[in-house]
Structure formats: structure tokens, C-alpha cells
Amino acid sequence: MRGYVFDLDGTVYLGDKMIDGAAEAIQELRARGDRVVFLSNKPIATRQSYADKLTKMGIPATVDDVLNSSQIVARYLQKHLKAAECVYVVGEEPIQDELAEHGIPMTNRSEQADYIVLSWDRQFTYDKLNIVYQAAMRGAKVIASNPDATCPLDRGQVPDTGTFIAALEAATGKPIDLIAGKPSLMAAEAAVSHLGLPYEDCFMIGDRLETDIRMGNDAGMMSVLVLTGVGTREMAERGPYRPKYIVPSIKEVVRL
């Protein structure tokens, strides 16, 4: 039995278009007794919406089949928040809902926050950047949902949380405190714990070298780069994050 951790955007689908062969590949893995989980860094949709989207595309999935960076942030805060501490969120409704479902106390007053959660926000402004900057300089810990600079869609790429991280780090002159999503080992641990298998028996399949492949390598998983999203063969050969396998698309994974 093997475990398969699939990135979503750029790996299983691009925007609202499923990548050719994705449904058949996942069906074959499940039919032969392997375990599958979906792990996304994208925090602007709920895990239920991902499960619904996959199901509509012909890949049956429940909310428990999906892990995302919002959930990993919430689980981290559950473990580390002390009594009377609270969180200020720069991010959209899905990550706020995930935090609320995990019982994380949130505030609308950034000056009261002990933690700042920085996430993808398509209404990001200078004022929001200044709020996070002032909180960080005051000593609040900054946790980002994910480090992706862009997100791949069927019409191209758009800026993601990593652009906000870069702006904040340029202003403060120091790195933020924590990134919860891929390539963090927190994300890897969440995936393999869900699968119930050791790291060495799991494949990490994704399209990004600096997140998917780096996490797979760092955790001791078998990393697989698909060429349907951001990463290219040339980038893999030149860069520091070398996948164990490079395949044209997800449909080749069943042959590994």
C-alpha cells in the first residue's frame, strides 16, 4: 500500500478545467488499495468547496479527503495559543471560517492581537499592509497560510500570499515567524498522519518545486513533479529542489 498526496491547482485541475486523465488516475489508485489525500495551499476556498469541486469533476471526495493551509494554521493555533490570546486575520472568509470552526478567538482590533494570520486577500491594500507591519513591529507573531507567490489558473497566474509576505518582510527587514502550508513539515505531517503511512511510503505530487517538491524531499517522501502547472523540467534541472520523478501529468503517476 502506498500513499499519494496530491496538490490541486496545477496538478489535478487548472481553474475549473480538470487535467486530462486525473479522474481515471485517482480511480485506479483507489481501486488497487492505495490511499489518497488532497493537500492545497490555496486558502480562499473551504475544504468542503474543494471536495464538492472534485466530486463534480468525477473524483468522488469528502471534506475529510482534503487538507489545506487554512486548516493547518487553525490546528497550529489550537496548540500554541495561550489563555486570553487572540488573532487578527488578513484574509478572506474561508480562512476566517476555518479558524472559527476550530475555536480560535479572533479580534477586529489589530493592536490587541498576539498573532497575525496573513493569507491570500484579493482586497489587500496599503492600509492592511500597514496594520500587519505595525502589529509585527509591536511584537505580534505573524503566521502566513502559504508562501506561494502566484496561483496557476487556466487563464494564467495571479498573485498569491507570497507577494504579501515579501512586502511585509521588506518593510520589517526580517522574515515572518511561520508559514503553515507547503513546504512546511507541519503540512507534510498533516498529510501522512491522514494517510496513516510512513513518509517513505508516500508520494508527493505537485507542480511547484519550491513548495510541493521541496516539502516532499524535506520530509523523506517520493517527490513527483507534474508539468501541467508552474514548474518545468528546465527549472527542476537547474534549481535546488530536484524531484525524484518528473512526469508530463497526473495520469502518469499510476505507472511509478
Side-chain angles (χ1 to χ4, degrees), residues 14-15 18-19 28 62 74 87 89 95 124 140 151 154 159 181 188 200 231 245:
L14 282 168
M18 185 172 67
I19 290 169
E28 182 173 340
T62 69
V87 176
V89 181
I95 191 168
F124 195 75
C151 178
D154 53 357
E200 60 268 23
Y245 301 100

Side-chain angles (χ1 to χ4, degrees), residues 7 13 18 20 23 37 40 79 97 106 124 134 145 148 160 198 208 231 241 243-245 252-253:
D7 172 56
Y13 53 70
M18 185 172 67
D20 182 51
V37 68
S40 175
K79 293 180 181 178
D97 289 346
M106 290 176 278
F124 195 75
Q134 298 298 337
S145 56
D148 307 69
D160 201 332
R208 283 187 178 271
Y241 310 118
K244 184 172 180 62
Y245 301 100
E252 308 298 328
V253 169

Side-chain angles (χ1 to χ4, degrees), residues 20-84:
D20 182 51
E24 293 80 5
I26 292 168
Q27 181 182 9
E28 182 173 340
L29 294 176
R30 286 171 164 170
R32 70 191 194 191
D34 291 323
R35 297 177 182 175
V36 171
V37 68
F38 303 99
L39 175 59
S40 175
N41 265 3
K42 192 175 178 182
I44 60 170
T46 64
R47 291 186 298 123
Q48 184 63 60
S49 70
Y50 286 126
D52 293 342
K53 180 175 183 175
L54 288 165
T55 300
K56 289 178 182 178
M57 287 182 166
I59 303 171
T62 69
V63 67
D64 291 333
D65 295 321
V66 182
L67 307 174
N68 72 350
S69 57
S70 302
Q71 181 189 41
I72 296 166
V73 170
R75 288 178 174 177
Y76 175 87
L77 290 170
Q78 275 187 326
K79 293 180 181 178
H80 292 87
L81 272 181
K82 299 177 182 177

Side-chain angles (χ1 to χ4, degrees), residues 172-247:
T172 62
K174 62 181 182 180
I176 65 170
D177 295 284
L178 184 71
I179 295 175
K182 298 173 290 184
S184 79
L185 293 180
M186 285 193 301
E189 182 181 4
V192 297
S193 295
H194 181 90
L195 294 170
L197 295 168
Y199 288 101
E200 60 268 23
D201 288 344
C202 296
F203 291 87
M204 176 64 230
I205 303 101
D207 68 304
R208 283 187 178 271
L209 293 160
E210 71 277 13
T211 55
D212 302 314
I213 302 308
R214 179 180 176 181
M215 187 192 80
N217 290 346
D218 288 351
M221 305 164 77
M222 291 174 280
S223 57
V224 184
L225 177 70
V226 293
L227 303 178
T228 49
V230 175
T232 65
R233 186 178 298 274
E234 292 73 23
M235 291 165 62
E237 291 172 350
R238 294 197 311 265
Y241 310 118
R242 303 289 181 91
K244 184 172 180 62
Y245 301 100
I246 300 176
V247 296

Side-chain angles (χ1 to χ4, degrees), residues 60-152:
T62 69
V63 67
D64 291 333
D65 295 321
V66 182
L67 307 174
N68 72 350
S69 57
S70 302
Q71 181 189 41
I72 296 166
V73 170
R75 288 178 174 177
Y76 175 87
L77 290 170
Q78 275 187 326
K79 293 180 181 178
H80 292 87
L81 272 181
K82 299 177 182 177
E85 289 187 331
C86 61
V87 176
Y88 184 90
V89 181
V90 174
E92 298 190 15
E93 187 175 347
I95 191 168
Q96 296 185 42
D97 289 346
E98 189 75 45
L99 294 178
E101 289 173 11
H102 283 77
I104 305 302
M106 290 176 278
T107 179
N108 291 323
R109 300 182 63 182
S110 60
E111 66 274 13
Q112 295 180 340
D114 302 281
Y115 287 84
I116 302 292
V117 171
L118 180 59
S119 187
W120 190 358
D121 185 344
R122 287 169 290 184
Q123 284 73 50
F124 195 75
T125 62
Y126 177 85
D127 287 341
K128 290 183 179 181
L129 175 60
N130 186 45
I131 285 171
V132 178
Y133 169 76
Q134 298 298 337
M137 297 305 291
R138 180 178 49 79
K141 295 180 181 178
V142 180
I143 301 176
S145 56
N146 60 298
D148 307 69
T150 62
C151 178

